[in-house]
Amino acid sequence: MYQGNKLHFISMDVPFPPNYGGVIDVFYKLKAFHQLGVEIHLHLFGFNEIESDVLRKYAKEVYFYPIHQKPFYIFQKYPISVRSRDSKLLYERIKSLKAPIFFESLKTTFILNKYTLEGYSKYLRLHNIEQNYFSGLAESEKNLVKKALFYIEAKKYIQYENIIHQFDEVFTLSKFEQNYIQEKYNKGKFVPVFHGNETFQSLSEKGEFALYHGDLRASDNCKVVDFLIEVFKEIDYSFVIASGCREDWVKAKIKNHPHIQFVKLKDFDHLKNLFEKAHLNIAWSFQESGTKLKVINALFNSRFSIINENVIDDEKISGLCVQVSNKSELIKAINHLKNQPFLGSKEYIDTLEYDLNDKLNAEIILKQIFN
């Protein structure tokens, strides 16, 4: 459909393997753009260059730029996560090919502070209201140095965010972010997260346990695990905590509770196997976070999903879940649903396969860029 249309695509991280929320959205968006015929010139920032034949399948050119985190950046006005992604070579490559530029997150936009890119149409995929995100990290962080750095980063983003004026359009991950950007900058279009699931997996009506999965390098997720362990101490039902890290930390907390276990995640196929066996999936956050990918994956690949209000702000998607707001409501929901058969209705399946269709959502963005 967009055969021959060229696009500069700048990612804040190397999106393969797609192993955390932000790069999952990047990777499957990149794939959908390619499937619709766009000629992608892919620019990747990262701490380590990863040679990936997979990315070369979806992009005509793949360029890598190192992230430089230098101590003196803390004294500059720019957020460190922006300032560290600086590259003259990126500017030169963009100037050598006249094509629209698609920026993944505000972190990739430092080039706009140094160089003139007049005549180029510019589009932003907003991954967070960054000052809210870093403030949330600071609230959950126990290390005082990290806590202070997160607060400083949040404060810097309040001013830096004004760079949004330079974009032709901003594509948000959540309705909350869309409303915020529309009110403040008179732009903003909600496009749901890209996730790679194509069809709903029809499973048996009953699973075996409740499941929570998350990256336990994130302080908010650690806080959630503490909370959920306290919840399941009061419930006679098997509970699995799955993560790729912090095994010893979790096992120390659950050693006297044999119905709670930790599973070390190997990869997404391993997670899908857990989804197939889970009867209940719990997604929780103590900070507002738009729509979490873990919920989308659970809806497509498992049975019941129980959430709190911080993990989804798209009413169509939250309507597929059981939403509760505190510990007592969560305990009540688990005790009720653990013996209930899961029946995915036609409306449930249609909402997933149409509203969360990667290809259809890619078209929303590309129509804006190329039409």
Side-chain angles (χ1 to χ4, degrees), residues 203-297:
L203 304 171
S204 60
E205 294 179 0
K206 292 293 291 290
E208 303 168 17
F209 51 75
L211 173 66
Y212 172 82
H213 73 280
D215 181 353
L216 297 184
R217 291 171 298 179
S219 51
D220 182 58
N221 289 343
C222 292
K223 193 173 175 181
V224 170
V225 165
D226 278 332
F227 168 71
L228 292 178
I229 289 170
E230 292 304 310
V231 166
F232 276 90
K233 283 179 181 178
E234 301 181 28
I235 300 174
D236 181 21
Y237 191 63
S238 295
F239 177 44
V240 171
I241 300 164
S243 183
C245 59
R246 302 205 70 180
E247 180 175 5
D248 292 342
W249 178 77
V250 176
K251 284 186 172 178
K253 291 176 176 290
I254 63 176
K255 62 183 178 183
N256 297 320
H257 305 284
H259 68 299
I260 306 176
Q261 63 171 302
F262 178 87
V263 172
K264 186 160 187 177
L265 278 179
K266 299 171 191 169
D267 51 32
F268 188 67
D269 286 338
H270 187 196
L271 178 58
K272 283 187 81 168
N273 181 256
L274 292 175
F275 281 143
E276 288 171 12
K277 294 178 180 177
H279 190 63
L280 308 175
N281 296 272
I282 301 171
W284 203 273
S285 180
F286 290 101
Q287 61 187 84
E288 195 167 32
S289 52
T291 296
K292 280 192 173 287
L293 266 161
K294 64 179 68 180
V295 185
I296 306 302
N297 285 328

Side-chain angles (χ1 to χ4, degrees), residues 344-361:
S345 67
K346 184 179 184 304
E347 181 185 5
Y348 182 101
I349 296 167
D350 286 348
T351 299
L352 289 178
E353 295 184 356
Y354 181 78
D355 290 278
L356 291 174
N357 183 297
D358 282 353
K359 219 165 179 181
L360 294 177
N361 288 326

Side-chain angles (χ1 to χ4, degrees), residues 140-328:
S140 299
E141 183 56 60
K142 292 177 181 175
N143 181 293
L144 293 179
V145 174
K146 287 184 179 179
K147 183 186 279 284
L149 288 173
F150 287 146
Y151 274 127
I152 291 167
E153 193 79 345
K155 192 171 182 180
K156 287 181 176 181
Y157 265 113
I158 293 170
Q159 295 301 318
Y160 187 76
E161 186 189 77
N162 286 320
I163 203 164
I164 284 173
H165 286 296
Q166 294 193 34
F167 292 97
D168 294 78
E169 185 56 278
V170 177
F171 303 100
T172 71
L173 273 164
S174 73
K175 296 286 185 71
F176 166 76
E177 290 164 2
Q178 179 192 33
N179 294 337
Y180 174 85
I181 297 299
Q182 283 181 344
E183 186 175 321
K184 196 166 181 184
Y185 300 100
N186 197 30
K187 56 189 74 177
K189 186 181 287 288
F190 169 65
V191 179
V193 65
F194 290 78
H195 49 83
N197 297 287
E198 294 181 6
T199 56
F200 169 71
Q201 301 302 306
S202 185
L203 304 171
S204 60
E205 294 179 0
K206 292 293 291 290
E208 303 168 17
F209 51 75
L211 173 66
Y212 172 82
H213 73 280
D215 181 353
L216 297 184
R217 291 171 298 179
S219 51
D220 182 58
N221 289 343
C222 292
K223 193 173 175 181
V224 170
V225 165
D226 278 332
F227 168 71
L228 292 178
I229 289 170
E230 292 304 310
V231 166
F232 276 90
K233 283 179 181 178
E234 301 181 28
I235 300 174
D236 181 21
Y237 191 63
S238 295
F239 177 44
V240 171
I241 300 164
S243 183
C245 59
R246 302 205 70 180
E247 180 175 5
D248 292 342
W249 178 77
V250 176
K251 284 186 172 178
K253 291 176 176 290
I254 63 176
K255 62 183 178 183
N256 297 320
H257 305 284
H259 68 299
I260 306 176
Q261 63 171 302
F262 178 87
V263 172
K264 186 160 187 177
L265 278 179
K266 299 171 191 169
D267 51 32
F268 188 67
D269 286 338
H270 187 196
L271 178 58
K272 283 187 81 168
N273 181 256
L274 292 175
F275 281 143
E276 288 171 12
K277 294 178 180 177
H279 190 63
L280 308 175
N281 296 272
I282 301 171
W284 203 273
S285 180
F286 290 101
Q287 61 187 84
E288 195 167 32
S289 52
T291 296
K292 280 192 173 287
L293 266 161
K294 64 179 68 180
V295 185
I296 306 302
N297 285 328
L299 289 169
F300 270 95
N301 297 293
S302 195
R303 299 174 181 83
F304 291 108
S305 287
I306 306 175
I307 63 170
N308 72 337
E309 64 179 358
N310 287 339
V311 299
I312 290 185
D313 71 351
D314 181 348
E315 301 84 359
K316 285 184 179 177
I317 308 307
S318 61
L320 306 179
C321 306
V322 175
Q323 185 168 317
V324 296
S325 58
N326 55 47
K327 181 180 177 182
S328 62

Side-chain angles (χ1 to χ4, degrees), residues 46-59:
F47 291 105
N48 297 296
E49 185 169 3
I50 298 171
E51 274 298 319
S52 173
D53 292 336
V54 174
L55 295 177
R56 295 185 190 283
K57 278 170 50 180
Y58 302 128

